[in-house]
């Protein structure tokens, strides 16, 4: 997919890695071509050292990503909302293995073995283009200043 | 819950704000709220910042701090160290909604 691969990716601090590996929903923000930001809840994991989410090119966030690869991901610890990680960076979109990635997320976040046919109707699989969105971190913010 | 922090010298704020939110370079925003115990219940308000003002911003912030603390407190000095008041200027932003998404899909897809 037509997204540039950034040259620099900040590492995820080990102190907050659990927020990306535990099944915690994140708030993922993209921007449309006219500058309107849009946020949605997403399943998150780690792929090649980057935080990764999974979407389709047909959804609003997929269309936004094709226009503007700058994204933000916020994951808040549900046990302590002052503990969070916010990653701002550049999205790299990958179609190879995207359905496998989605199924792995489905197994992590739900009790279902696969996304299509369980979470979502199987016939939708042909109607949408799944992509892995790897977030190459350019800036990372941790935790609230209050406790 | 809406607050902008600005690292400008005193005096610069007034000039910037006097221009009005309609002249802000990127006035379009989104505000996303979700139930941390039940993330499939959420609210997104997309819109445009139509007013940015220092008037009442500290009182608003103290109100928010009290709400989140569950007792009457001040933001500077109680929620965060008082020294932050020297380097931060609270701004109250009013958002005119242009698109609202309200979802309650709880109970359909529970994480294990």
């Amino acid at each position: 997919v037509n997204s540039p691969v950034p040259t620099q990716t900040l590492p995820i601090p080990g102190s907050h890695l659990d927020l990306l590996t535990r099944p915690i929903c994140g708030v993922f923000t993209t921007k449309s071509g006219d500058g309107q930001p849009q946020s949605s809840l997403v399943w998150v994991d780690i792929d090649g050292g980057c935080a990764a989410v999974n979407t389709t090119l047909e959804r609003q966030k997929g269309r936004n990503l094709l226009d503007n690869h700058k994204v933000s991901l916020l994951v808040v610890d549900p046990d302590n909302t002052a503990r969070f990680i916010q990653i701002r960076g550049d999205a790299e979109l990958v179609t190879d293995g995207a359905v496998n990635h989605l199924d792995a997320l489905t197994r992590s976040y739900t009790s279902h073995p696969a996304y299509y046919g369980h979470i979502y109707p199987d016939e939708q699989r042909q109607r949408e283009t799944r992509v892995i969105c790897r977030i190459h971190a350019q800036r990372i913010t941790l935790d609230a200043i209050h406790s | 819950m809406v607050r902008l922090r600005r690292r400008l010298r005193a005096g610069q704020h007034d000039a910037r704000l006097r221009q009005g939110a309609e002249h802000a370079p990127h006035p379009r925003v989104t505000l996303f709220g979700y139930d941390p115990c039940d993330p499939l219940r959420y609210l997104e308000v997309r819109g445009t910042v139509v007013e940015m003002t220092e008037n009442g911003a500290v009182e608003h912030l103290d109100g928010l701090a009290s709400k989140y603390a569950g007792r009457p407190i001040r933001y500077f000095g109680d929620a965060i160290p008082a020294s932050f008041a020297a380097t931060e200027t609270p701004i109250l932003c009013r958002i005119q909604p242009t698109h609202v998404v309200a979802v309650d899909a709880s109970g359909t897809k529970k994480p294990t």
Side-chain angles (χ1 to χ4, degrees), chain B residues 2-4 49-53 57 60 91-95:
Chain B
V2 183
R3 190 170 64 88
L4 289 187
V49 173
V50 292
E51 186 186 356
M52 294 168 65
T53 178
H60 178 246
I91 305 291
L92 177 58
C93 298
R94 290 200 167 83
I95 301 169

Side-chain angles (χ1 to χ4, degrees), chain A residues 57-86:
Chain A
L57 294 181
E58 292 77 13
R59 291 180 194 207
Q60 179 74 59
K61 41 184 178 292
R63 298 199 304 272
N64 287 357
L65 286 168
L66 292 174
D67 276 342
N68 188 337
H69 62 271
K70 295 281 182 200
V71 299
S72 159
L73 177 71
L74 171 69
V75 186
V76 181
D77 188 339
D79 304 321
N80 173 10
T81 55
R83 181 170 180 264
F84 62 75
I85 180 169
Q86 190 211 9

Side-chain angles (χ1 to χ4, degrees), chain B residues 17-94:
Chain B
L17 292 172
R18 215 175 294 129
Q19 293 173 0
E22 67 270 25
H23 299 304
H26 305 291
R28 302 180 78 165
V29 297
T30 189
L31 184 63
F32 192 90
Y34 66 100
D35 186 339
C37 302
D38 187 4
L40 291 169
R41 181 167 172 267
Y42 64 86
L43 174 71
E44 186 193 11
V45 179
R46 289 179 223 163
T48 307
V49 173
V50 292
E51 186 186 356
M52 294 168 65
T53 178
E54 290 180 45
N55 285 340
V58 171
E59 294 76 5
H60 178 246
L61 190 51
D62 287 344
L64 288 175
S66 301
K67 177 179 125 178
Y68 279 79
R71 62 197 163 83
I73 63 167
R74 290 165 307 149
Y75 182 71
F76 294 112
D78 291 328
I80 69 168
S83 58
F84 279 86
T87 52
E88 297 195 356
T89 305
I91 305 291
L92 177 58
C93 298
R94 290 200 167 83

Side-chain angles (χ1 to χ4, degrees), chain A residues 9-89:
Chain A
T9 301
L10 293 175
I12 307 293
S15 59
H16 289 65
L17 205 54
D18 66 293
L19 296 178
L20 305 180
T21 53
R22 288 158 61 199
I24 304 171
C25 288
V27 179
F28 184 58
T29 304
T30 59
K31 244 170 138 176
S32 64
D34 67 2
Q36 173 66 58
Q38 185 232 0
S39 296
S40 50
L41 282 170
V42 291
W43 293 341
V44 184
D45 71 357
I46 290 264
D47 186 6
C50 296
V53 304
N54 196 298
T55 187
T56 73
L57 294 181
E58 292 77 13
R59 291 180 194 207
Q60 179 74 59
K61 41 184 178 292
R63 298 199 304 272
N64 287 357
L65 286 168
L66 292 174
D67 276 342
N68 188 337
H69 62 271
K70 295 281 182 200
V71 299
S72 159
L73 177 71
L74 171 69
V75 186
V76 181
D77 188 339
D79 304 321
N80 173 10
T81 55
R83 181 170 180 264
F84 62 75
I85 180 169
Q86 190 211 9
I87 301 169
R88 277 178 267 174

Side-chain angles (χ1 to χ4, degrees), chain A residues 66-138:
Chain A
L66 292 174
D67 276 342
N68 188 337
H69 62 271
K70 295 281 182 200
V71 299
S72 159
L73 177 71
L74 171 69
V75 186
V76 181
D77 188 339
D79 304 321
N80 173 10
T81 55
R83 181 170 180 264
F84 62 75
I85 180 169
Q86 190 211 9
I87 301 169
R88 277 178 267 174
D90 300 313
E92 176 196 3
L93 304 182
V94 183
T95 49
D96 282 353
V99 173
N100 288 339
H101 177 246
L102 178 63
D103 287 342
L105 284 172
T106 304
R107 287 190 292 275
S108 168
Y109 279 78
T110 78
S111 53
H112 295 287
Y115 187 78
Y116 291 111
H118 296 270
I119 302 286
Y120 215 49
D122 198 40
E123 52 270 27
Q124 279 300 120
R125 188 198 306 248
Q126 309 307 325
R127 300 196 189 117
E128 49 190 29
T129 314
R130 275 282 154 192
V131 288
I132 304 168
C133 172
R134 277 194 204 125
I135 302 168
H136 292 268
Q138 306 298 304

